[in-house]
Amino acid sequence: MSGRLLIGTVAMVLAGARGYAQARPTCAVVPKSLAAMKGCYRPLLVFSPNGDDARLRRQVSLLDEAADDMMDRFVLYTPIVPDGRQVTTPADAPYTILDAKAMAAVRAQFHVAPGFAVLLLDEDGSVMLRTAVPVSTDRLNALIDKTALRQTEMLRPHAN
């Protein structure tokens, strides 16, 4: 194992990280509110009537198939379900689980009625996509890659 890889692995373990990228060192590794995600991540809000909905499971599967792409673009899967304790989570893609109060606030903020919906937010909190069906990661990548911020991110040395 190379020295850099070992140091990176040790740093993630010590930080309690799930092994995915932060947009900036000042960003929470596992943010617990939309406010904490702002300027750091692109939240993928997936609203579902329950934590075991087939569409929710499909969205999670799509994210896991392209987990590296999601990490590179700082996409953070954020399920919004009535009972946050019982939710499908990805094996590899970055995610966070908000508490029940925060989930209710997010649902109200974006005026999402009970049912299934997917919203992709940019790092500034603006809605980039709103749909009633699971979204392919190719579509997410294409939307994100068109933004000026992503163009700047890709120019950085060692860019994701």
Side-chain angles (χ1 to χ4, degrees), residues 25-157:
T26 57
C27 296
V29 175
V30 183
K32 294 299 183 183
S33 68
L34 283 184
M37 293 179 211
K38 201 167 192 175
C40 294
Y41 298 98
R42 293 180 178 95
L44 184 69
L45 306 175
V46 183
F47 299 83
S48 182
N50 62 66
D52 196 37
D53 183 82
R55 295 163 294 188
L56 182 69
R57 288 192 320 267
R58 176 69 180 138
Q59 187 66 68
V60 168
S61 175
L62 290 167
L63 295 172
D64 267 341
E65 289 171 9
D68 288 344
D69 286 348
M70 299 301 94
M71 285 184 252
D72 289 349
R73 290 166 179 81
F74 306 110
V75 173
L76 190 63
Y77 166 68
T78 309
I80 309 296
V81 297
D83 184 357
R85 295 176 306 218
Q86 304 211 352
V87 65
T88 302
T89 57
D92 296 317
Y95 71 91
T96 191
I97 306 294
L98 305 177
D99 65 33
K101 185 177 177 181
M103 285 187 195
V106 168
R107 185 175 289 280
Q109 177 181 348
F110 292 100
H111 309 287
V112 177
F116 187 85
V118 178
L119 276 70
L120 174 64
L121 307 183
D122 204 354
E123 285 187 18
D124 66 0
S126 63
V127 178
M128 298 175 65
L129 170 73
R130 181 186 281 253
T131 182
V133 296
V135 181
S136 74
T137 53
D138 288 340
R139 185 170 180 200
L140 294 173
N141 291 345
L143 283 167
I144 292 166
D145 289 350
K146 289 180 189 175
T147 67
L149 180 59
R150 178 67 182 150
Q151 294 296 314
T152 302
E153 288 171 358
M154 291 188 294
L155 293 175
R156 290 186 212 142

